[in-house]
Amino acid sequence: MMAQSLKSRRMLDAYLLVIPFLFLYIVFWLFPIIHGIWLSFFDLSLGRETFIGLENYLRVLFTDSIFFMSLKNVLIYAGMFTLGLVVSLLLALMISSSYLKSNRMKVLVQAIIFLPWVVSWASLGLMWTWLLRSSLVDYLLGPFSNYLPFRLGVSPLSQTSAAIWILSSIVVWRNLGYNTVLFLVGLKAIPKEIIEASMIDGASSWIRFRRITLPLMKPMIVFVTITTIIGTFQIYDPIRVMTDGGPAFTTTSPVHWAFKNVVDFGKIGYGSAVGTIIVAIVFVLNLLQYKVIKKYL
Amino acid sequence: MREYSKRNQMVEMVFFTLIILISFSYIFPFYMISALALGANAYKNPPEFLPQGFRVSGFIKIINHPDFLRWVGNSFLYATLITVGALILSSIFAYAITRYNFPGKEVIFWLVLLGMMVPGIVIYIPIYYQLAKLGLINTYIGIIVPPMASAYSAFLLKQSFESVPKDYDEAASIDGAGALTILFRIVLPIAKPAIITATLFNWVMNWNNFVWPLLVLTTSDKYPLVLGVLYMGLSYTIEYDMIAAGILICMLPSVILYLVGIDYFMKGVVVGGLKK
């Protein structure tokens, strides 16, 4: 009897403790997901609230060339970010290698390249916008003007041939430190005994890399790559600051296009349909990632 | 053997050079924006790489901007209140999840994980619509309350509370301590590193966030600093020294926190990186 009441007392306690966060989370996170799907079935422009069924989706998927352009751009972004991961991995290998003696330098390099990650995209994006607009570009790149994919004299961010490549390079530059630190953690986790044993056996550093480091790092590399690709579908901040999707929508992303419809054109229903498609894609990618984790762990 | 060490020196030289070059690509833009703030004109031909006689006019201009102090105050207010709210809510939640068994616990935590799978940025659209319906657009409540529901913090704190031994709680509860007393007196002090990590991450992320305020705010008196500077930087002014100074001031708090708590940031990458 006593035990029973104690038990229900504890349960009541538990619910009381869980409710504050859960309430806020449901109101501002879970409900909006459902609500976003709901809104995508309506025409919500100019104060109208008309149910139009799947019409928004039909428009997005069959008549919206900019949406498909944004998907094409996502592929470019994903490709560039994956290249960035390769650079991060190489950098992590260099920093952790026994060739480099100075520990202080290793710490310093990590601290420097991680720095942009703690700074707002608003400041970083403005910084690059203003630097690329200056005559520094002409001055530093002038000698190579025949080999550049853009004209000098105008910011490369406003040229259709170059904007997406420059913008994605800046995003790679910003995330390089973050990914390098992540890979360094993975490299540190490789047991020292294995490395030492292979050294005693006289394995060259190339063989060590091929036969020990790479196989042991593989799960982490796969994981970080999928996470990066999932992140690509959500890219918005740098685009909003540096190009706002331009020039001629060559740098827009699905999220950016959704926001543009909602904020600039007031088409909330249409933007929600684009948003819901993104949520569906990201969700599927997440399930894929979950499967991959299960395979490795 | 001599051959071998020669090769080692070669490799070390190559690695060293590459790392120096990469580091330079990080130092140079930050150096250049500082030079602009101090009056180096990089917009004439040839550009100036050094400020001519250290003028602080850029900083004076931005500080004299009628809204500047207000924006700084707003930024501190938003980042601090959101962080405090998010940490209190998520630590109480994480405590309940790790210390109690109750029907629906699995489902609740599963829902939080599920929510983390959905891109937060897309959720801004329906939230924005809801706030508009509730008349909370351009209000302090509208900007501060929604971001407090931080699934990332809940996840991070749950991970760390699991490693706090439960014997302590049991001993305290036999002594008649209530749940909140146990949480604040026993669990939080032991889980301090995770709390510091979550605090730093939340604060910096909310100080840096401009997309959310951009959506919710309509009048410049409520802008956080990053948004105020962003609008000035995007509207074609020629006052590069003022914009550059603004950019630097926006970066300053995040960079200071980063340098003070660098180890915590690196830890946060490991926990968050495997889930962000």
Side-chain angles (χ1 to χ4, degrees), chain A residues 116 156 167 173 189 196 225:
Chain A
L167 197 143
W173 173 86
E196 278 160 11
T225 307

Side-chain angles (χ1 to χ4, degrees), chain B residues 4 11 27 105 108 150:
Chain B
Y4 187 65
V11 175
I27 295 166
K105 178 171 130 169
I108 288 173
S150 165

Side-chain angles (χ1 to χ4, degrees), chain B residues 53-79:
Chain B
F54 270 65
R55 295 189 302 272
V56 283
S57 54
F59 291 95
I60 291 170
K61 276 185 213 163
I62 188 99
I63 288 166
N64 282 335
H65 186 282
D67 281 329
F68 175 78
L69 286 177
R70 225 200 142 92
W71 289 343
V72 173
N74 287 342
S75 272
F76 273 101
L77 184 79
Y78 300 156

Side-chain angles (χ1 to χ4, degrees), chain A residues 116 118-125 174, chain B residues 207-210 226 251 254:
Chain A
V118 303
V119 174
S120 173
W121 261 122
S123 332
L124 284 181
R174 192 247 189 177
Chain B
W207 173 275
N208 289 344
N209 194 346
F210 69 95
V226 278
M251 291 178 180
S254 312

Side-chain angles (χ1 to χ4, degrees), chain B residues 177-203:
Chain B
L180 289 179
T181 315
I182 297 173
L183 170 64
F184 284 102
R185 288 283 166 80
I186 294 166
V187 179
L188 287 189
I190 298 177
K192 205 170 170 183
I195 299 287
I196 295 176
T197 302
T199 306
L200 287 172
F201 261 68
N202 267 299
W203 201 91

Side-chain angles (χ1 to χ4, degrees), chain A residues 15 29 111 118 120 130 135 173, chain B residues 26 42-44 103 115 133 208 258:
Chain A
Y15 286 125
W29 200 270
V118 303
S120 173
W130 280 76
S135 39
W173 173 86
Chain B
Y26 284 80
Y43 296 85
K44 62 176 198 195
K133 279 259 185 257
N208 289 344
Y258 166 64

